[in-house]
Amino acid sequence: MVSVATLLLLRHGRTTANADGGLAGRQPVELDDTGRAQATAVGQRLRAVPLAAVVTSPLIRCRQTLELALPEASPVVEEGLIECGYGTWEGQPLKKLAKEPLWPVVQQHPSAAVFPEGEAMAAMAARAVAAVRSWDARVTAEHGPEAVWLACSHGDVIKAIVADALGVHLDLFQRIVADPASVTAIRYTPVRPFLLRLNDTGGDLAGLVPPPRKRRRRAARAADSDAAVGGGAGAAR
């Protein structure tokens, strides 16, 4: 199996909009006190993980999260990780938006949802997936298959990336959860991606660092022909 880098998807910490039940979208909302505490806490968990690269959505809530979680990092802004463009929905209470005719489409058939004066959810998913796959290939090429890198983004963006990794249609992505300051881990291979962690808000992250590769023997042992074809995370190493 070909070894590849490991991607950690970090959602920003809780914001004032999250607390108030509003749809922030691309507005410059900032972390609240809970969000700042979440960012600091996830930083403690990430200390055990050597990161080859850190990239981020350009929005301030993601940059604030990384400033608190990884103060020594120098994140690179990646426009492909920006929040979905919700158009005229931005800044409105979710309880009000739930009464809009578009709301059930967003929840049940998001691949067909296009926000008024905004972005299509399918377009958001496509550019987010393209961004992380491009960065993953770049990190693997520059830092090797044992590398781990991190991308800080938003709930819907992360859910769309996870749906792609699982090979499920975008219309199912609302079944996926990405809480504030959660970590999701994906390892891409030339054959298929592997979802290693999902919505992890308290687990030990050190185990996500791949062990150094052992030199492969020139001649495969006869027993190797009986190896199971499985989908475990070890198969990606």
Side-chain angles (χ1 to χ4, degrees):
M1 288 290 181
V2 178
S3 295
V4 289
T6 302
L7 162 63
L8 304 184
L9 290 166
L10 171 65
R11 185 183 175 189
H12 60 78
R14 196 180 82 166
T15 67
T16 53
N18 295 143
D20 295 339
L23 183 64
R26 297 180 180 179
Q27 294 186 329
V29 299
E30 302 189 19
L31 302 184
D32 65 5
D33 289 342
T34 296
R36 287 189 285 272
Q38 290 172 335
T40 301
V42 77
Q44 295 293 327
R45 299 169 60 213
L46 288 167
R47 284 188 176 183
V49 183
L51 297 173
V54 177
V55 301
T56 181
S57 157
L59 297 181
I60 190 169
R61 54 192 183 269
C62 287
R63 292 186 283 111
Q64 286 179 330
T65 298
L66 291 177
E67 287 171 3
L68 292 167
L70 302 169
E72 297 181 0
S74 299
V76 178
V77 171
E78 170 53 62
E79 293 290 340
L81 295 176
I82 196 170
E83 178 66 284
C84 185
Y86 297 117
T88 59
W89 279 31
E90 292 188 359
Q92 297 196 50
L94 291 173
K95 62 182 180 180
K96 176 183 177 182
L97 295 173
K99 300 176 182 178
E100 294 287 336
L102 183 61
W103 182 266
V105 180
V106 172
Q107 300 304 317
Q108 301 174 37
H109 190 23
S111 64
V114 181
F115 293 97
E117 300 181 27
E119 186 178 24
M121 296 203 84
M124 173 274 290
R127 48 97 168 157
V129 169
V132 295
R133 285 180 176 268
S134 175
W135 270 98
D136 194 75
R138 174 178 171 181
V139 170
T140 299
E142 294 181 1
H143 300 279
E146 287 81 32
V148 181
W149 66 285
L150 181 142
C152 186
S153 190
H154 310 270
D156 279 351
V157 175
I158 291 172
K159 287 157 57 180
I161 294 169
V162 170
D164 170 76
L166 290 174
V168 302
H169 198 279
L170 184 63
D171 285 345
L172 301 179
F173 100 130
Q174 296 289 24
R175 302 182 184 189
I176 298 167
V177 176
D179 288 322
S182 65
V183 176
T184 293
I186 297 172
R187 187 172 293 144
Y188 293 98
T189 78
V191 177
R192 59 191 170 192
F194 291 90
L195 180 64
L196 308 180
R197 298 278 180 92
L198 176 63
N199 196 39
D200 189 328
T201 57
D204 179 14
L205 300 177
L208 293 172
V209 181
R213 285 188 301 172
K214 297 180 179 179
R215 292 184 178 180
R216 302 178 67 180
R217 297 181 179 179
R218 293 184 179 181
R221 293 176 301 174
D224 289 347
S225 61
D226 296 325
V229 178
R237 294 177 182 170

